[in-house]
Amino acid sequence: MEVTYRDQEVADSAASVAERLVAEGVPARLAGGDPTLWGEDAAPVAAARLGWLALPRASRGLLPELAALARRARADGLTNVVLAGLGGSSPAAEVICASADAPLTVLDTTDPGQVRRALAEGLDSTILVVAGTSGASVETEALLRVYERAFLDAGIDPATRVTVVADPGSPLERPAAESGYHLIPAAPGVGGRYSALSAFGLVPSALAGADAGRLLDEAAEVLPLLSKDTGNPGLDLGAALGGAALAGRDKLLMDDRLSAATGLPDWIEQLVAGSTGKRGRGILPVVGGEPRGTGDELLVAFDADDGDVRVDGPLGAQFLVWQYATAVAGLVLGVDPFDEPNIAESTAATGRLLTLPALPVGEPVLVDGPVEVYGHTRAKDLPGVLTELLRSVPDGGYVAVTAYLDRLAAFDAPVAEGADFEQMTDAWMAADAATLRPLLALRTDRPVTFGWGPRFARSTGQYHRGGPQNGVFLQVTGAVADDVAVPGRPYTLGTLQLAQALGDLDALEHRGRPAVRVHLTDRAAGVAHLLAAAQEA
């Protein structure tokens, strides 16, 4: 594992920061799990969240159970692995499986269409992993209830198909035991964002066919370096991230085009943003962003001679080093990297909204074709709304697009017969709400991020609410044509999804941030109309 500085300014800043950290004994103290590093107030939370440092060795005890679980699943013909989990419990498994070309369906959503899509993949061959790093969240519970009903309706005993991964003492433990589900306790003292090498990352990955032992070997190989004052990749990376952010380079762009790890920036995004975005400070990861030459950018490249910092190493080592580096960056910025003081705000707002007879969606201020606009705007059409939003970004600020939609819906777009892969990709991009990010990025020199809701809410959502208050927000919601009931609850997935969006918007508006919600009355037509408007903005 190696971290190389390719920018002299970054190198000088990192050297200065590292020298101070070494003088304070930080490398050895962090590697030894000293919770007092981040101050007395942070020590209680840190003491309960530093267990990730032991995972490269401690998680090896899981390997025999994981191998047996995978063998039983294959013997029973259970080849369709579905992971239901939000926050830090799912991004690592998604990266692991994508990098290993192991099929895994991730349900980190409450979108009815995306859930129906997963249910249609074949219950006869499905094994469901339910993961909850902080207990039974409303989303995870809803997904479990939906799958339980689907299994029962298909004549399948859910106890033969559900595996639950939960923290010891979690609210998920008791119902899992009562239902006879296979329960795998996660290692104690590991927060969700730092759980990649715990049962949360390894159980679904091993079931899908990824080599969990290899990941742990890769992490274990780099582990001894993390207590050293020199030749310590975690210290080198953390000093670069923290030093650059202190110097105003707090927008983290990542270039992974040559990396063997597929989707690693998405995992880094939730780790870094959720860990550092507090007390009005933080580092904002920009996944897929192109350098614009502004003074607040730091470009990290993976396995490539590019960028300001180059990071080389296998996936297991990347997980551990980035976690260590993020903890160091939090120390440099003066924030506790392990708490999440603002996560509960939108969750609480969602809970309140679900108790109402009807969701308070309000009246649109503008209707442009299949798109309704909610919020404050003086614009007369949708291109004008987007232009107005881009112009409202302050110096040093950013644009965040959040979409509460089916993130796989673009693959339903019609493709011409005989189309090659490039033509198919063009068709999919033209139907994908995520294409908003590059289209808007062409029209501003400020960074533009994109997140699927509610996936982002427990990671980058912390940054949006607790970090520097210089973001402007475009939220996208959509009409539900075919909803999914949540058994035993008075709401549907569609209602839950919209309540989550409104709760998130409420948290932003209470901070006085510019925020506009666009609602697609027809999802496919609405996405096309929105992308066309972005090209005109």
Side-chain angles (χ1 to χ4, degrees), residues 34-59:
D34 182 353
T36 66
L37 275 172
W38 299 272
E40 292 183 7
D41 291 342
V45 172
R49 287 290 181 267
L50 284 166
W52 53 271
L53 289 160
L55 290 177
R57 295 170 181 151
S59 287

Side-chain angles (χ1 to χ4, degrees), residues 179-208:
S179 299
Y181 299 149
H182 188 163
L183 175 64
I184 300 180
V190 180
R193 295 186 301 276
Y194 294 79
S195 65
L197 298 173
S198 76
F200 290 111
L202 300 182
V203 171
S205 302
L207 278 170

